[in-house]
């Protein structure tokens, strides 16, 4: 693709032509490989590529207190400001689909748990007037449907999307890889196959080798976490404004718990396995406790809700069941005890005892809940989740240290070879 689309620059000087081709090759490799890596690994790969391209070490490992900003500057000094080391990802989905892959190369979209990217494919198919056949994987019926879809679409030139393929890694290895390897020059040139999956070490190596990959890391922050959580709740559930208020408090607690995982070991002392499923389970727990205490009445009195039972179950069961450290349990207890209180139904109830912390909306209808989430800033200060203002800086330095460490491992391995 570099030679075919070599650009407009022409020169009779062989050295200049080779230098130009080298630049184009580095850009193409970075944009293709980078999109299949996580944030830290993108930096590591760009630094390794810079060393291969220039013969010099782009990373100044002697500099103390490196930040990710410092490393970004080093990459840009080696390649230029507009070098595509981050890779062409979801925001370039159309370009990747029509220009970078072919009918025989699947596009594997890997994302963090709870971050569903299938909607991006569906929206693109609609805007491009492409017929898209999609199937949720994980059952024998899904396997048969997927095989039929691929057989039909590969001849007609339509699109296929296999969703949630982390649920069927054995089928991927035993069946899908062989199906994909059987695609040949006779496959319709307009055929495309998209595979969505959570990031998982169980994905077959053979599938990774034959696929073009985009890693879609989920957006961070309280707002993004709340949006993911509430998008997973069925609309029928928002029938009672009092329980909606409890769901919103739960969403906040869940989001704080998730965000603190990003700041280990300051957020939590261990990488506990908190998941979206915990919060979904908590919804059922809250509904059950409220129904048992108050019956299925529409007009619930917030003062008479089973606050003690809700707090205890969340602290010791739903979320607390994953915690092993006493200090971490104290953090969880404090978070739950301060939010699941009758005062949460008061106007202007603050969700954190810091300046600038959000206050709950006045009303709790479904529309008001979603409007309130939309009104939150995309990025929040660490003080919202109970951490010091310097936590973000400390986390950034830890990421930079991880880049330096991984870069050393890779370059040492290359030197040994």
């Amino acid at each position: 693709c570099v030679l075919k689309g070599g650009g407009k620059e022409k020169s009779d000087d062989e050295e200049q032509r080779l230098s130009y081709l080298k630049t184009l090759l580095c850009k193409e490799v970075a944009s293709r490989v980078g999109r299949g890596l996580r944030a830290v690994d993108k930096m590591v790969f760009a630094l390794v590529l810079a060393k291969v391209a220039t013969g010099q070490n782009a990373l100044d490992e002697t500099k103390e207190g490196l930040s990710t900003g410092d490393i970004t500057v080093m990459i840009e000094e080696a390649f230029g400001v507009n070098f595509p080391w981050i890779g062409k990802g979801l925001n370039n989905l159309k370009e990747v689909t029509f220009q970078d892959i072919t009918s025989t190369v699947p596009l594997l979209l890997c994302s963090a748990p709870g971050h569903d990217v299938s909607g991006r494919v569906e929206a693109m198919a609609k805007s491009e007037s492409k017929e898209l056949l999609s199937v949720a994987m994980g059952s024998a019926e899904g396997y048969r449907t997927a095989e039929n879809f691929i057989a039909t679409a590969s001849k007609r030139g339509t699109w296929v999307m296999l969703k949630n393929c982390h649920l069927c890694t054995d089928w991927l290895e035993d069946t899908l890889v062989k199906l994909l390897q059987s695609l040949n020059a006779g496959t319709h040139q307009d055929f495309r196959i998209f595979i969505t999956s959570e990031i998982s070490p169980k994905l077959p190596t053979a599938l990774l080798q034959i696929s073009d990959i985009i890693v879609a890391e989920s957006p961070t922050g309280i707002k993004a976490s709340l949006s993911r959580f509430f998008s997973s709740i069925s609309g029928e559930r928002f029938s009672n404004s009092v329980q909606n208020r409890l769901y919103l408090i739960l969403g906040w607690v869940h989001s704080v718990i998730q965000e603190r995982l990003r700041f280990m070991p300051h957020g939590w002392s261990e990488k506990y396995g908190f998941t979206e499923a915990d919060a979904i389970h908590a919804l059922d727990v809250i509904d059950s406790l409220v129904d048992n205490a108050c019956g299925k009445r529409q007009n619930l009195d917030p003062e008479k809700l089973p606050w003690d039972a809700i707090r205890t179950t969340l602290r010791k069961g739903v979320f607390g069941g994953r915690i092993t450290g006493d200090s971490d349990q104290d953090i969880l207890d404090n978070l739950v005890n301060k939010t699941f209180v009758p005062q949460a139904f008061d106007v202007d109830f603050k969700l954190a005892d810091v300046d600038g912390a959000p206050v709950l909306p006045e009303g709790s209808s479904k529309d008001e809940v979603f409007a309130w989430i939309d009104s939150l800033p995309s990025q929040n200060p660490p003080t919202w989740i109970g951490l010091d203002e310097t936590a973000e800086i400390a986390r950034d330095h830890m990421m930079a240290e991880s880049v330096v460490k991984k870069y050393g491992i890779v370059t040492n391995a290359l030197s040994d070879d």
Side-chain angles (χ1 to χ4, degrees), residues 230-349:
F230 274 90
S231 67
S232 67
I233 304 175
S234 64
E236 297 78 27
R237 198 156 198 161
F238 294 95
S239 59
N240 186 297
S241 62
V242 172
Q243 280 169 272
N244 291 351
R245 191 76 158 190
L246 295 177
Y247 299 163
L248 192 51
I249 301 168
L250 172 64
W252 173 266
V253 169
H254 164 68
S255 299
V256 170
I257 288 171
Q258 290 292 320
E259 273 295 285
R260 290 183 72 99
L261 284 172
R262 295 177 55 234
F263 292 89
M264 284 181 53
H266 305 292
W268 301 108
S269 64
E270 298 179 34
K271 192 171 181 63
Y272 298 117
F274 299 119
T275 67
E276 195 118 310
D278 296 332
I280 298 299
H281 174 52
L283 287 173
D284 296 331
V285 168
I286 288 173
D287 284 349
S288 176
L289 290 172
V290 170
D291 287 347
N292 288 339
C294 308
K296 295 184 178 293
R297 297 197 304 271
Q298 283 295 311
N299 299 319
L300 297 173
D301 182 354
E303 292 288 342
K304 295 181 179 179
L305 291 174
W307 293 107
D308 285 339
I310 292 173
R311 288 192 293 261
T312 301
T313 306
L314 296 181
R315 291 194 323 253
K316 296 185 178 180
V318 178
F319 298 118
R322 296 191 181 277
I323 290 177
T324 57
D326 291 342
S327 60
D328 291 334
Q329 187 64 56
D330 289 341
I331 292 169
L332 177 65
D333 291 351
N334 186 57
L335 172 62
V336 172
N337 290 341
K338 285 190 173 182
T339 50
F340 277 94
V341 291
Q343 292 76 22
F345 284 81
D346 295 344
V347 176
D348 294 337
F349 175 75

